[in-house]
Amino acid sequence: MNQDFIEGQTDLELVEVDSVVDSLSTWIELGAEGIVTFFSSDEVSDVLDEIKELGTELSNALKVVKVIRKSASIPNKLFMRKMERYCAGLVSIPASKREKYVKRVGKESLNKDSVFILGVLNKIEELSKIDILLRLFEAKMDEEINDQTYRRMMLQVDRTMFSDILFLKDNICNNDIKITSEEEENLLATGWLIFAGIGWGTATEEGGNLYRYTRTAKQFCNIIFHSDIAISEEQIPVSGALKFE
């Protein structure tokens, strides 16, 4: 079980972690648009009897939602909002794609995915990031990125302010740069920029440390924002870029 998620499970003290993990795995595999309304309903208990035709697994997943909601604690409610938004986004990924992915990786790997996703959801503070998390998961399903790259990007999104991610979108480039803004300082601290050497000064410009955007940063922007930036002379194929205003 993911240690970070276990350490943060005070947000989920009324529900066993394994139950939440199984529920998210069920939503990844079986979630359908028709039950998003039930998932987000304020009266989950009133609709459980009405959805038996959707199957035992989905019904059990919604019962977990009901148990979480019975808590009056603010942390539980915040977690529930994040989980609802993530699961609602999952159903926008074609069911055929999700089913194909589950068959390829197997139930054990799917549960590991769910533990990792829940750990990130439990920590993030900005709901706007959830659409990015979903797109990264879809990119993993499509084998645009491998599991290591997926997890690396997810963790970087977790520790990067959403406004800094938008700055990354607008400023990603292949040139070496100097750190001239707070956003760039934050991107350096969170691993999107790396040291590239020391620039020579000229008569009109001072020398100093130079930095460049990492391969991961470029690949991330191609996947999420369709930045179309070259990576080591090879273009990473992308699709379904997100649009943020």
Side-chain angles (χ1 to χ4, degrees), residues 17-34:
V17 173
D18 286 346
S19 296
V20 183
V21 170
D22 288 342
S23 294
L24 181 55
S25 295
T26 298
W27 281 90
I28 292 172
E29 184 176 8
L30 303 174
E33 187 175 355

Side-chain angles (χ1 to χ4, degrees), residues 58-162:
L58 284 172
S59 179
N60 288 340
L62 285 178
K63 287 178 182 177
V64 172
V65 173
K66 176 185 174 183
V67 173
I68 296 175
R69 282 187 167 168
K70 288 179 69 175
S71 168
S73 73
I74 290 176
N76 279 345
K77 290 180 179 179
L78 292 176
F79 175 81
M80 198 69 251
R81 286 184 63 194
K82 291 183 283 188
M83 189 173 175
E84 285 175 358
R85 180 158 173 171
Y86 190 88
C87 291
L90 278 175
V91 302
S92 67
I93 300 174
S96 58
K97 181 185 294 188
R98 287 184 274 123
E99 291 168 2
K100 181 179 178 181
Y101 173 76
V102 173
K103 288 180 181 178
R104 186 175 81 242
V105 303
K107 187 67 173 181
E108 183 177 350
S109 292
L110 180 62
N111 284 345
K112 288 181 180 178
D113 281 340
S114 298
V115 170
F116 181 75
I117 291 166
L118 287 167
V120 175
L121 286 177
N122 203 36
K123 292 187 292 182
I124 64 169
E125 298 178 352
E126 297 174 275
L127 290 176
S128 300
K129 293 181 181 180
I130 292 178
D131 292 340
I132 295 177
L133 304 185
L134 286 160
R135 177 65 190 105
L136 288 176
F137 190 55
E138 185 174 11
K140 180 187 172 183
M141 285 184 178
D142 291 337
E143 299 183 87
E144 295 178 51
I145 52 177
N146 61 30
D147 186 65
Q148 287 184 330
T149 300
Y150 162 74
R151 288 171 179 262
R152 184 179 300 113
M153 290 181 179
M154 289 278 282
L155 293 174
Q156 286 187 239
V157 169
D158 167 38
R159 61 177 181 259
T160 306
M161 290 178 59
F162 185 69

Side-chain angles (χ1 to χ4, degrees), residues 27 35-51 58-70 80 84:
W27 281 90
I35 53 178
V36 172
T37 302
F38 295 124
F39 190 94
S40 59
S41 170
D42 290 333
E43 302 297 334
V44 172
S45 59
D46 293 341
V47 299
L48 285 174
D49 291 338
E50 301 174 17
I51 59 170
L58 284 172
S59 179
N60 288 340
L62 285 178
K63 287 178 182 177
V64 172
V65 173
K66 176 185 174 183
V67 173
I68 296 175
R69 282 187 167 168
K70 288 179 69 175
M80 198 69 251
E84 285 175 358

Side-chain angles (χ1 to χ4, degrees), residues 180-198:
T180 59
S181 68
E182 183 178 351
E183 289 85 357
E184 288 165 337
E185 290 178 354
N186 294 338
L187 292 176
L188 176 63
T190 50
W192 302 103
L193 283 165
I194 57 172
F195 180 69
I198 299 176

